[in-house]
Structures are given as C-alpha cells and as structure tokens.
Amino acid sequence: MVLALIIICEVGFWVLLAAGLGARYVLRRPRLGMALLLCEPLLEVVLLAATAIDLRNGAEPSWHHGLAALYIGYTVGHGHRTVTWLDGHAAHRFGGAPPPPEPPRYGKARAAHEGKLWAGTVVGAVVASGLLLLAILYVGDAARTASLEAWLLQAWKITGIHGLIALTYVIWPRRAPAGSGDGNDEGDGSDGSGGEDAPRVPVKVERRR
C-alpha cells in the first residue's frame, strides 16, 4: 500500500503543479492556481499518515516505509526550488515575463549554487531522518526496524556524496572559456591590451625621406 501511495503522490505532485501553473497563466486565474499549488504539501501529509497507520496496524517495516521517508524529505528540501523553477518558465512562456535567469556555470557563483543545492539535500536528510527515527521508536522492536535503520544510513550517504560533488566546485572551480565574458580571470584582454602575457605585435614605422 505504501509503495502504491508513493507513486500516487509523485504523480499527484506533477498533476497539481501542471494544473496550478495552467490556471495561473493560461486561464488567468492566479488565486485558483495558488490554491492548487498549496494543495501539494497535503500529499506529503497523506503519505506520512498512511505510513504511520500501516505501521500501527502491524505491517512489517520494510524498504517501502524508508522510501516514503526519503520521498517526503526530498520534497521538503527541493520541492520549493522545483516549483519556483517551473513557475518562472511558465510565466515566461504564457505570461509574457522575461526568461528566468540560468544558473551560473563558472567560478564562485557556480560553487555557491551547488552549495545551495546541497543545503536542500541536507534539509531533506534531516527531515527523512526525523521521520525514520520516529518510526523506529514507534515500532519499538529492534529486530523489526533494521530496514528503517538502513534507510537512515542511506539518507546520509546520499547527502555525503552530494556534498563531495559540491565541494569539487569549490576546490576546482570551473573557468569560463576564453572570450566568453563569463569568467573573472585577470588579463583576459577585455580592455583591449590582451593582458600582460599577450604577444607583442611588431609595428613597422615607415621613414619619410
């Protein structure tokens, strides 16, 4: 039941998102669109309640319950960013708004962007861990909660891997291609001088007789 409900909640998330953006920008009914978008957190509440009831009725804790916790955590950590990103594109496509800015690709700005994404993953792991710990305490039987404990470790393993990926952008920042105008490298020739290391072009001086 829990696995089926996860699938239903995932499909419902995108259905509500599409319906909310459509009502907001296509039908020109922003209040209805906002109401539909605000219904999305209810999906996580339903999933959480169904998971608790399933365990309460004596269901054996399994990977379904752990996956439900991670799904809720991911939605809390990254759901708002996903909705904002799609809202910006819908506003541009149907509402005449300017196109949303693209995420930075190079240098410190890209490193900061990756750090924000990782912060969302940390929030998701904290939420998932809290739900898993509550489920473990709720069941109260160490012999039956091994799968939940495994998902607890999995949540932080994913967070650690994402953190290492984000750290690479700090240690080895990506540089913009030469002449792209996106980088902050010194001596890029933007002032027309070509930088200190630019080759000197000999200039012939014609003598007048």
Side-chain angles (χ1 to χ4, degrees):
M1 181 187 74
V2 176
L3 180 59
L5 194 57
I6 293 174
I7 298 174
I8 292 174
C9 286
E10 176 66 16
V11 174
F13 174 85
W14 293 104
V15 169
L16 282 175
L17 181 57
L21 295 178
R24 190 172 184 180
Y25 296 108
V26 179
L27 301 180
R28 307 296 182 183
R29 299 183 63 182
R31 292 184 179 179
L32 176 60
M34 183 60 66
L36 291 171
L37 293 176
L38 290 177
C39 288
E40 290 185 343
L42 295 178
L43 296 175
E44 279 64 52
V45 175
V46 171
L47 180 59
L48 178 60
T51 304
I53 293 173
D54 195 39
L55 293 174
R56 179 71 176 179
N57 292 336
E60 190 70 21
S62 64
W63 65 273
H64 300 162
H65 302 93
L67 182 61
L70 259 66
Y71 174 80
I72 295 173
Y74 175 84
T75 304
V76 173
H78 293 284
H80 180 267
R81 181 176 290 108
T82 302
V83 172
T84 302
W85 181 78
L86 289 174
D87 182 74
H89 282 277
H92 169 60
R93 178 65 178 82
F94 302 106
E102 295 292 333
R105 294 184 294 173
Y106 307 107
K108 295 180 179 179
R110 177 60 185 269
H113 174 73
E114 295 294 331
K116 291 179 180 178
L117 292 179
W118 179 68
T121 301
V122 172
V123 171
V126 170
V127 173
S129 298
L131 295 176
L132 288 169
L133 288 174
L134 287 175
I136 291 171
L137 293 175
Y138 184 71
V139 175
D141 185 356
R144 298 174 56 206
T145 57
S147 62
L148 299 180
E149 294 173 358
W151 276 102
L152 186 63
L153 296 176
Q154 191 71 16
W156 289 104
K157 184 186 297 185
I158 295 172
T159 304
I161 293 173
H162 190 183
L164 290 176
I165 295 174
L167 187 61
T168 61
Y169 290 91
V170 178
I171 301 176
W172 301 289
R174 293 186 177 182
R175 294 182 178 273
S180 65
D182 293 333
N184 296 321
D185 297 339
E186 296 180 0
D188 59 356
S190 59
D191 59 354
S193 64
E196 295 180 359
D197 297 330
R200 300 288 183 178
V201 180
V203 179
K204 290 184 178 182
V205 180
E206 184 180 357
R207 293 183 179 180
R208 295 184 178 179
R209 295 181 180 179

